[in-house]
Amino acid sequence: MFPFYDAGAISALVCGALFGFVLENSGFGSPCKLTAQFRLSDWSVLKVMFTAIVVAATGLWLMRVAGLMEADAVYVPTSLLVASAIGGALVGAGFAVGGYCPGTSVVGMFSGRIDALVFIVGLVLGTFVFAGLYGPAIEAIMAMGEVQTGDTFSDAWGIPDWLLIAIMAVALVAVFHFGSWFERRSRGPVAADEAVAGAGPADVSDRA
């Protein structure tokens, strides 16, 4: 149903605009939040993202158990362990250096941040370079560590969904516990108004 129909461009634009609005107003569109996460002084990004993962996993599992959703209703790409590890390390390095992820860089650009525009230019150039270099060598790396027995933990290793969700819930509690411990021993989280204003590490330090 309009505008939330399957594969609809309008629904994607609406959801993207709402997501960007929330990101910017909560301070997550600022590179201050992401770089503070890598300095272990502000764990807001990991807390929010991990919470979203656990809530989404729990909700999807409950919907399948209740018969409200087919087991194969959500597409899960093939697991490529080695390629994912290499790509994750490279993307993480880009996050730490640039202070943005692809999503927050778009939010930052539309908020008028020049550094976000530079980040997006680099992201696009990197995409073209990867496409230009794509060939047998990259395909061989991507084939390393491919999980062929299944696309999910349950399919590949026989771990029950409820047990995996319970493990993630325990890990989430640990993230909040140890994240807050690190925050109390450092400058602490960057407030939303400080992040939106572009407060740097020195500015945040001054408030202590």
Side-chain angles (χ1 to χ4, degrees), residues 87-163:
L90 293 175
V91 171
F95 286 6
V97 173
Y100 290 102
C101 74
T104 57
S105 65
V106 175
V107 174
M109 182 185 70
F110 280 99
S111 299
R113 296 191 176 93
I114 301 300
D115 56 343
L117 176 61
V118 173
F119 185 92
I120 291 177
V121 171
L123 188 153
V124 173
L125 288 176
T127 302
F128 275 102
V129 170
F130 177 81
L133 296 176
Y134 191 86
I138 293 180
E139 289 179 345
I141 295 175
M142 293 180 66
M144 296 169 60
E146 179 179 351
V147 180
Q148 299 180 345
T149 54
D151 297 327
T152 66
F153 274 91
S154 298
D155 295 337
W157 290 289
I159 301 176
D161 289 335
W162 65 266
L163 178 58

Side-chain angles (χ1 to χ4, degrees), residues 14-106:
V14 171
C15 292
L18 292 174
F19 185 54
F21 177 81
V22 173
L23 281 178
E24 176 62 19
N25 284 277
S26 60
F28 284 81
S30 168
C32 302
K33 296 292 286 186
L34 196 52
T35 54
Q37 175 67 72
F38 284 98
R39 292 195 303 272
L40 304 180
S41 61
D42 184 347
W43 285 57
S44 302
V45 174
L46 184 55
K47 288 177 180 176
V48 170
M49 295 303 297
F50 205 170
T51 300
I53 291 172
V54 174
V55 170
T58 304
L60 291 173
W61 176 66
L62 290 176
M63 290 177 66
R64 288 202 308 273
V65 171
L68 300 176
M69 188 182 75
E70 297 293 334
D72 58 352
V74 177
Y75 171 72
V76 180
T78 301
S79 299
L80 307 172
L81 299 182
V82 174
S84 297
I86 296 173
L90 293 175
V91 171
F95 286 6
V97 173
Y100 290 102
C101 74
T104 57
S105 65
V106 175

Side-chain angles (χ1 to χ4, degrees), residues 173-200:
V173 173
V175 166
F176 271 82
H177 175 76
F178 289 107
S180 300
W181 185 86
F182 277 105
E183 289 173 348
R184 288 193 297 271
R185 283 156 179 76
S186 61
R187 301 185 182 100
V190 180
D193 56 341
E194 294 171 331
V196 171

